[in-house]
C-alpha cells in the first residue's frame, strides 16, 4: 500500500525502525508517539511481511486495549492509507475475499484480520486464558509498567514460538516490542533490565550496515538514472549486506529511553509547559522526562505496596461495545458508568468518606468484601463546583446501582462547618443532596478526627494485613487518589508521626495540583477508619448498623 502523503517520524521512531532488532524496548515519555509511530509500524511490518502469521498485542486490561492501544494503531494505519473494512477488519470474521491465516483463530472477537491472512490477537491480562492455544510469530507489549511479568512469562512468552517452517528466515520472527513510560514502582520495572542485555557494539554495527546499504542503493540509483551499466559486484555487495543485517537483527536487543522533549517539534513548548503545570513533579519526571527515580519508602502510607492495586473491569460488558469503540467514540471513558466495573456489588450499599474544602472536595467510595476494603472509585470537584456537583457526579456514575444506599462516614469536621457551601454544614448538605437524588443515607459519626500518629499506625497495619480490613484500590478508578497516597509525606513531632499537610492551604501551582495533595487521602482515611472501626451490617430484609453516636 502506498500513500502520497509525507510521513514524519522523529529520531527515536526512525532509529527503532531502522535498527529493527528482534527485541526492542522503548521507554519514552508521553506523546513521543509510542503507539502511533513505533507500535503501529512494528505491527504493520510483521503482518505484511509474514503473510498468514499470528501475532499478539498484550495489554494490561481489556479496557486499555479498547480505549488506548487499538485506536492508536488504527489512527496511524488510516493516515498511511490502510482502511478499516477494506484492508483489515476488527472484531469479526473477515470477508471471503481475505486470504486465510495459517492458523485460524477459534473466534474473531478479539482479532484484527489483514487482507493477506495475517491476524493479531488482543491478549488482555485481566481475561484469564487469553494466551491459551496460541502460536505467535511476534508480540507487542503495550504499557509494560502495568503488565504482570509473572503472568506474561508463564502464559504469553512461551506462545511466541512462531511457525519456523514459514518464517524462520525473517529476523523479525519471534520479535518482541515492549513499550512504556518510566515506571514508578519496582514491580513495574521488570523490563528495565533489557538495558544490560543490549550489545551496543552490535547496535552500532547494525547502524553502520543500514547506512552502507543505503549508500550502495544510492549508487545503483545514480547509475540507473544515467543509464549506465550496474557492475555485478554492487548487487553481490547488496545481497551480502542484507544477509548480514538479517542475522544481526535476529539476535539484537535494542533498549532506549527517551523524554517527551524528543518530540518537541510536533508537541511544541506549550505542551511541555502544560504537562509541567498539570502533573506532579514525580509524574512529570517519569512520564515526561523519562527519568529513573528511587521509590520512596518512608511516606505516610509506607506499607502500601503495588499489590494493593487491582484491575476490575467488566469485560463481558466491554466486549459488547466492540473492539473499535475507542475509534467510534473517542470519549467513551468519560461517559462510562459503574456498569463497566466488576468489583461493585450493585445489591450492597456503598460506603463513602469525604473531605471538604473551599477549593477542592472529595468522595472516596468503597465496599467491604470479606477482609478486603475495595476502594472502588474516587471523585473530586474543584473551585466553583462544590458538594452538590460532587454528589451529582457520584449519583450519575452509580445510576444503575440497585441498592441506592450510601453509608456516610463523617467526623466532627463535617459538623457546624460550611465554608464549601452556604447555609448548611457539610453533613447536612451531603445528606440533603443524596436524598434529593433518590438515595438513602445512613450516617455514621466517628467523633473527633483521629490523631495522625494513631491514624498512621492503624492504616499501615491495615495495609500490612494486621487489621480486620485490608485496603485495595481499583487502579483505573483512582488514578489521582493513588498518586496522592503514594506521595503523601510524613513529619515527626512530639506526639509521633504526622501526615505532611503544610501545602494544603497554598495556592495551586504548576507543580502542586490540588488533586494530588493530601485532601483526597484524608477522605480515604475517613472511609477506612469508618469501615474498620464501625462496620455497617446490611441484609436485604433488614438494615442495621453499629457505631452510631
Amino acid at each position: 500500500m502506498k500513500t502520497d502523503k509525507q510521513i514524519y517520524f522523529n529520531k527515536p521512531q526512525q532509529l527503532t525502525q531502522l535498527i529493527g532488532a528482534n527485541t526492542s524496548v522503548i521507554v519514552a515519555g508521553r506523546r513521543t508517539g509510542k503507539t502511533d509511530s513505533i507500535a503501529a509500524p512494528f505491527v504493520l511490518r510483521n503482518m505484511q511481511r509474514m503473510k498468514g502469521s499470528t501475532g499478539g498485542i498484550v495489554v494490561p486490561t481489556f479496557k486499555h486495549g479498547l480505549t488506548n492501544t487499538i485506536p492508536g494503531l488504527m489512527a496511524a494505519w488510516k493516515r498511511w492509507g490502510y482502511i478499516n473494512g477494506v484492508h483489515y477488519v476488527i472484531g469479526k470474521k473477515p470477508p471471503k475475499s481475505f486470504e486465510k491465516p495459517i492458523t485460524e483463530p477459534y473466534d474473531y472477537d478479539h482479532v484484527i484480520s489483514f487482507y493477506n491472512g495475517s491476524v493479531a490477537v488482543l491478549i488482555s491480562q485481566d481475561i484469564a486464558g487469553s494466551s491459551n492455544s496460541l502460536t505467535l510469530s511476534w508480540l507487542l507489549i503495550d504499557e509494560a509498567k502495568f503488565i504482570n511479568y509473572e503472568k506474561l512469562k508463564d502464559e504469553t512468552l512461551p506462545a511466541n514460538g512462531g511457525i519456523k517452517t514459514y518464517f524462520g528466515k525473517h529476523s523479525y520472527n519471534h520479535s518482541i516490542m515492549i513499550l512504556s513510560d518510566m515506571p514508578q514502582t519496582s514491580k513495574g520495572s521488570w523490563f528495565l533490565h533489557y538495558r544490560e542485555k543490549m550489545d551496543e557494539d552490535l547496535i552500532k554495527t547494525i547502524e553502520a550496515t543500514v547506512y552502507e546499504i543505503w549508500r550502495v542503493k544510492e549508487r545503483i540509483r545514480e547509475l540507473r538514472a544515467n543509464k549506465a551499466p550496474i557492475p555485478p559486484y554492487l548487487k553481490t555487495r547488496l545481497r551480502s549486506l542484507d544477509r548480514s543485517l538479517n542475522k544481526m537483527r535476529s539476535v539484537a536487543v535494542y533498549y532506549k529511553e527517551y523524554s517527551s522533549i524528543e518530540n518537541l517539534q510536533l508537541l511544541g513548548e506549550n505542551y511541555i509547559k502544560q504537562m509541567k503545570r498539570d502533573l506532579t513533579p514525580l509524574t512529570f519526571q517519569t512520564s515526561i522526562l523519562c527519568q529513573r527515580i528511587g521509590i520512596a519508602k518512608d511516606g505516610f502510607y509506607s506499607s502500601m505496596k503495588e499489590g494493593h492495586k487491582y484491575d476490575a473491569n467488566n469485560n463481558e460488558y466491554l466486549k459488547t461495545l466492540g473492539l473499535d469503540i475507542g475509534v467510534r467514540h473517542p470519549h467513551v471513558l468519560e461517559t462510562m458508568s459503574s456498569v463497566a466495573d466488576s468489583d461493585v456489588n450493585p445489591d450492597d450499599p456503598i460506603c463513602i468518606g469525604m473531605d471538604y474544602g473551599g477549593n477542592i472536595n472529595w468522595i472516596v467510595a468503597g465496599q467491604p468484601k470479606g477482609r478486603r476494603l475495595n476502594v472502588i472509585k474516587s471523585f473530586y470537584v474543584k473551585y466553583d463546583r462544590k458538594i452538590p456537583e460532587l454528589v451529582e457526579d457520584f449519583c450519575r456514575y452509580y445510576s444503575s446501582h440497585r441498592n441506592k444506599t450510601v453509608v456516610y462516614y463523617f467526623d466532627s469536621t463535617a459538623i457546624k462547618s460550611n465554608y464549601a457551601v452556604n447555609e448548611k454544614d457539610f453533613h447536612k448538605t451531603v445528606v440533603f443532596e443524596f436524598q434529593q437524588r433518590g438515595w438513602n443515607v445512613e450516617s455514621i459519626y466517628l467523633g473527633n478526627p483521629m490523631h495522625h500518629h494513631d491514624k498512621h499506625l492503624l492504616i499501615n497495619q491495615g495495609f500490612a494485613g494486621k487489621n480486620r480490613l485490608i485496603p485495595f484500590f481499583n487502579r483505573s478508578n483512582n488514578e489521582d487518589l493513588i498518586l496522592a497516597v503514594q506521595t503523601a509525606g510524613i513529619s515527626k513531632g512530639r506526639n509521633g508521626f504526622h501526615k505532611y499537610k503544610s501545602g494544603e492551604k497554598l495556592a495551586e501551582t504548576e507543580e502542586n495540583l490540588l488533586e494530588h495533595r493530601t485532601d483526597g487521602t484524608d477522605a480515604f482515611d475517613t472511609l477506612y477508619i469508618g469501615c474498620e472501626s464501625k462496620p455497617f451490617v446490611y441484609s436485604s430484609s433488614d438494615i442495621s448498623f453499629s457505631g452510631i453516636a
Side-chain angles (χ1 to χ4, degrees):
M1 185 68 191
K2 293 183 179 179
T3 176
D4 294 331
K5 295 180 180 178
Q6 287 190 334
I7 301 173
Y8 171 80
F9 293 105
N10 60 32
K11 184 179 178 181
Q13 296 159 358
Q14 291 179 41
L15 283 174
T16 303
Q17 294 179 52
L18 288 173
I19 291 168
N22 185 265
T23 300
S24 297
V25 182
I26 307 300
V27 186
R30 297 182 186 181
R31 299 288 297 276
T32 47
K34 294 189 293 292
T35 302
D36 186 89
S37 299
I38 295 179
F42 170 81
V43 174
L44 186 62
R45 178 202 68 183
N46 292 342
M47 296 183 79
Q48 288 283 68
R49 298 192 185 182
M50 291 190 286
K51 178 180 174 181
S53 64
T54 300
I57 300 173
V58 185
V59 291
T61 66
F62 188 64
K63 181 188 286 187
H64 179 88
L66 288 185
T67 57
N68 293 82
T69 308
I70 298 299
L73 297 176
M74 293 176 66
W77 295 340
K78 183 178 181 180
R79 290 200 312 275
W80 304 336
Y82 292 86
I83 307 303
N84 182 16
V86 177
H87 303 99
Y88 67 93
V89 295
I90 184 166
K92 61 183 179 181
K93 192 168 184 176
K96 292 182 180 179
S97 59
F98 281 28
E99 295 186 41
K100 293 281 188 182
I102 296 168
T103 304
E104 193 160 2
Y106 177 74
D107 63 57
Y108 287 87
D109 290 346
H110 302 156
V111 174
I112 302 172
S113 303
F114 256 68
Y115 63 91
N116 66 351
S118 295
V119 295
V121 182
L122 185 67
I123 300 171
S124 313
Q125 287 203 320
D126 62 340
I127 298 180
S130 56
S131 301
N132 290 352
S133 304
L134 294 178
T135 301
L136 305 174
S137 295
W138 54 268
L139 280 177
L140 167 66
I141 303 172
D142 195 24
E143 284 290 359
K145 70 179 183 180
F146 296 129
I147 291 292
N148 182 322
Y149 179 65
E150 292 302 315
K151 186 177 289 189
L152 179 76
K153 181 179 65 175
D154 295 341
E155 299 178 7
T156 308
L157 292 181
N160 190 29
I163 307 175
K164 293 183 180 179
T165 53
Y166 285 90
F167 311 119
K169 66 179 181 179
H170 294 298
S171 63
Y172 32 85
N173 189 32
H174 307 168
S175 59
I176 301 176
M177 173 72 73
I178 301 172
L179 299 175
S180 183
D181 55 11
M182 188 62 70
Q184 296 180 7
T185 65
S186 56
K187 186 175 181 180
S189 304
W190 61 270
F191 52 90
L192 298 184
H193 74 281
Y194 278 96
R195 182 167 65 175
E196 285 70 50
K197 292 186 176 184
M198 182 175 70
D199 184 337
E200 294 192 14
D201 290 336
L202 177 60
I203 297 302
K204 289 178 181 178
T205 304
I206 289 174
E207 291 176 346
T209 304
V210 169
Y211 172 74
E212 182 63 16
I213 289 173
W214 173 83
R215 197 182 66 82
V216 172
K217 286 182 176 179
E218 279 293 292
R219 178 59 180 154
I220 291 174
R221 278 191 285 267
E222 288 175 4
L223 291 171
R224 283 176 177 163
N226 296 325
K227 298 182 179 180
I230 300 172
Y233 78 87
L234 284 179
K235 294 182 178 179
T236 302
R237 173 69 172 157
L238 196 58
R239 286 193 295 269
S240 175
L241 288 169
D242 279 335
R243 284 193 298 268
S244 296
L245 181 61
N246 195 64
K247 288 180 181 179
M248 288 187 290
R249 282 173 165 171
S250 67
V251 296
V253 174
Y254 181 62
Y255 179 96
K256 273 293 181 181
E257 296 176 4
Y258 296 104
S259 79
S260 301
I261 308 300
E262 296 282 353
N263 210 20
L264 187 63
Q265 186 171 346
L266 285 184
L267 297 178
E269 290 186 18
N270 287 338
Y271 174 79
I272 304 300
K273 290 177 181 178
Q274 179 187 341
M275 289 299 99
K276 192 170 186 292
R277 180 178 67 248
D278 292 347
L279 301 176
T280 62
L282 178 66
T283 304
F284 184 78
Q285 284 178 319
T286 55
S287 296
I288 302 299
L289 300 183
C290 204
Q291 295 176 350
R292 295 192 182 206
I293 60 169
I295 306 301
K297 298 181 180 180
D298 57 352
F300 189 81
Y301 303 94
S302 55
S303 295
M304 180 184 176
K305 309 297 181 187
E306 186 65 21
H308 292 110
K309 307 171 194 172
Y310 67 92
D311 295 304
N313 300 312
N314 182 355
N315 290 319
E316 293 306 313
Y317 165 74
L318 293 173
K319 288 175 187 177
T320 66
L321 302 179
L323 272 189
D324 59 346
I325 182 66
V327 177
R328 290 185 285 110
H329 300 288
H331 303 293
V332 63
L333 275 182
E334 299 171 10
T335 58
M336 277 190 181
S337 70
S338 61
V339 176
D341 301 332
S342 64
D343 57 343
V344 180
N345 185 338
D347 296 311
D348 281 355
I350 298 176
C351 301
I352 64 169
M354 297 185 65
D355 187 75
Y356 324 89
N359 292 327
I360 188 166
N361 291 268
W362 280 83
I363 289 177
V364 176
Q367 283 188 321
K369 183 179 181 181
R371 291 202 64 207
R372 294 174 65 103
L373 171 60
N374 290 330
V375 181
I376 54 179
K377 190 168 176 63
S378 51
F379 305 80
Y380 65 85
V381 291
K382 295 166 68 172
Y383 299 118
D384 292 339
R385 302 190 77 226
K386 301 294 185 182
I387 287 177
E389 289 80 9
L390 179 62
V391 173
E392 175 63 28
D393 290 349
F394 176 99
C395 294
R396 185 186 303 114
Y397 189 81
Y398 290 107
S399 59
S400 62
H401 199 76
R402 289 190 288 269
N403 186 335
K404 295 291 197 297
T405 301
V406 166
V407 181
Y408 172 32
Y409 290 105
F410 68 103
D411 58 30
S412 60
T413 60
I415 300 174
K416 296 180 181 179
S417 299
N418 63 1
Y419 57 83
V421 291
N422 295 320
E423 71 283 355
K424 302 185 185 75
D425 65 21
F426 297 135
H427 170 256
K428 291 178 181 177
T429 301
V430 170
V431 172
F432 173 80
E433 295 296 337
F434 272 110
Q435 290 176 341
Q436 283 288 98
R437 291 164 177 82
W439 285 69
N440 175 51
V441 181
E442 300 292 348
S443 297
I444 300 183
Y445 182 57
L446 301 178
N448 291 327
M450 186 178 287
H451 290 295
H452 281 216
H453 175 71
D454 297 329
K455 184 189 294 186
H456 171 80
L457 291 176
L458 177 70
I459 297 178
N460 280 286
Q461 283 178 340
F463 279 122
K466 297 178 180 179
N467 294 343
R468 187 177 60 85
L469 291 175
I470 306 170
F472 293 88
F473 295 85
N474 182 313
R475 193 194 312 271
S476 60
N477 283 351
N478 294 286
E479 290 183 1
D480 292 301
L481 177 62
I482 289 173
L483 185 57
V485 168
Q486 289 183 155
T487 56
I490 198 169
S491 60
K492 296 180 181 180
R494 292 180 180 178
N495 298 322
F497 293 107
H498 296 267
K499 189 186 295 185
Y500 186 77
K501 297 170 64 68
S502 62
E504 278 192 2
K505 305 303 179 185
L506 298 177
E508 187 172 32
T509 67
E510 292 182 0
E511 296 185 351
N512 191 7
L513 289 178
L514 296 178
E515 58 267 33
H516 296 149
R517 298 179 185 177
T518 52
D519 306 83
T521 70
D522 291 342
F524 161 68
D525 295 346
T526 302
L527 172 68
Y528 180 78
I529 293 168
C531 290
E532 172 67 20
S533 63
K534 296 189 177 183
F536 177 84
V537 181
Y538 166 80
S539 69
S540 57
S541 59
D542 174 62
I543 296 179
S544 62
F545 51 91
S546 61
I548 299 182

